[in-house]
């Protein structure tokens, strides 16, 4: 049985030292930047298997290591006093998780347990976890509230829910303070223009649509137009990555020791695939040809958040509420970095 030996001193909220796992990834790197902007002392911890060294803000330090490397975690967490952890490091492709579930359980669950164990040993008592609306599976209705059944339909969603359970159990057992942020569709790019979305292979709608506008793809495939939604295409809630970064910063400052809480992070607005494509046409001025193909396995028809709880309890509301503004920021990034960070 593991006991926490006591936490590092109550942090001075003006300047915290924060470990960001997955800090070179899409959402992680935007959070690193927001934390640095706020004056916090940031160490990004990333294997660079999926992340990009260039995405890590120069004001942060970068440790290149795998989260399962307990020795390296010990060196980092034991070397300096950390006030908290933001945990992004994870595999995040639904389709891939269906084909190769064990690598998802290994990477997302087992390695998260290694991280929590190291936090406990080194007295790091605060964590903000990158969760997902995939924990709801196919919700009974939308907008989605946090009290709806947790019934993930993919291994990816199940690994994220397993991590939420671990956090909750550690909060009970040894007083960890944990917030899980269940985000909807992270989108857009930093207003600074310095960082943006760069996945390989790319599977997300907005970057794929913008690659068509850039002439890198011939057309966008619409995965089904026979859903029971207003225009027949799937409805999602596209939340800007800078808004996500802002709520992570607030959450790590406000997390309560000994408690676990989970919040939806979305704009509250559902946008259909067709509406995303139309908005992209008006932002880019390109025609963006489309082709309707079969539904993608595992896609629920409609997912959008009720963000009332996070607004009430953490005082968060998104700055980007219009899909056009989010797409515009992504377009700025893709136009200036047509090959992503490989430029
Ligand atoms: N989508 C699509 N064509 C694509 C990629 C995505 O029609 O080439 C749809 C997908 O079915 C979903 C929405 O766009 O309804 C958002 O998909 P994405 O992969 O960006 O995020 P997800 O909702 O899966 O997290």
């Amino acid at each position: 049985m593991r006991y926490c030996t006591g936490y590092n001193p109550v942090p001075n909220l003006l300047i915290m030292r924060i470990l960001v796992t997955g800090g070179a990834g899409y959402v992680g790197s935007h959070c690193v930047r927001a934390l640095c902007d706020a004056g916090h002392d940031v160490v990004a911890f990333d294997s660079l298997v999926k992340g990009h060294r260039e995405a890590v803000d120069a004001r942060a330090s970068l440790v290149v290591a795998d989260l399962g490397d307990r020795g390296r975690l010990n060196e980092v967490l034991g070397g300096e006093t950390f006030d908290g952890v933001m945990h992004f490091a994870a595999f995040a492709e639904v389709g891939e998780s269906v084909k190769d579930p064990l690598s998802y359980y290994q990477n997302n669950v087992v390695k998260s347990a290694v991280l929590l164990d190291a936090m406990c040993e080194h007295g790091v008592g605060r964590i903000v976890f990158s969760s997902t609306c995939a924990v709801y599976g196919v919700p009974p209705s939308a907008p989605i509230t946090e009290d709806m059944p947790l019934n993930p339909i993919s291994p990816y969603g199940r690994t994220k829910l397993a991590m939420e359970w671990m956090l909750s159990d550690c909060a009970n057992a040894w007083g960890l303070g944990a917030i899980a942020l269940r985000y909807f569709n992270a989108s857009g790019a930093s207003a600074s223009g310095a960082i943006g979305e760069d996945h390989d292979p790319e599977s997300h709608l907005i970057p794929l649509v913008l690659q068509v506008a850039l002439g890198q793809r011939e057309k966008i495939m619409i995965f089904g137009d026979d859903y029971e939604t207003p225009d027949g295409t799937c409805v999602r809630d596209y939340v800007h990555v800078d808004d996500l970064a802002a709520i992570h910063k607030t959450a790590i400052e406000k997390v309560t020791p000994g408690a676990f809480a989970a919040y939806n992070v979305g704009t509250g607005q559902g946008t259909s695939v067709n509406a995303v494509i139309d908005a992209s046409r008006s932002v880019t001025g390109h025609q963006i040809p489309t082709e309707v193909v079969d539904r993608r396995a595992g896609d629920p028809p409609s997912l959008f958040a009720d963000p009332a709880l996070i607004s009430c309890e953490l005082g968060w509301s998104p700055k980007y509420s219009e899909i056009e503004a989010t797409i515009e920021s992504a377009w700025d990034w893709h136009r200036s970095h047509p090959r992503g960070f490989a430029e």
Side-chain angles (χ1 to χ4, degrees), residues 323-339:
I323 189 70
E324 284 79 8
T326 296
I327 292 172
E328 212 164 295
S329 74
W331 180 231
D332 287 346
W333 158 256
H334 286 284
R335 254 190 319 182
S336 56
H337 298 79
R339 294 176 53 239

Side-chain angles (χ1 to χ4, degrees), residues 224-235 295 299-302 304:
D225 67 352
D226 56 353
Y227 285 95
E228 284 188 19
T229 58
D231 67 17
T233 63
C234 286
V235 169
R295 293 179 177 194
D299 267 342
S302 187
F304 58 98

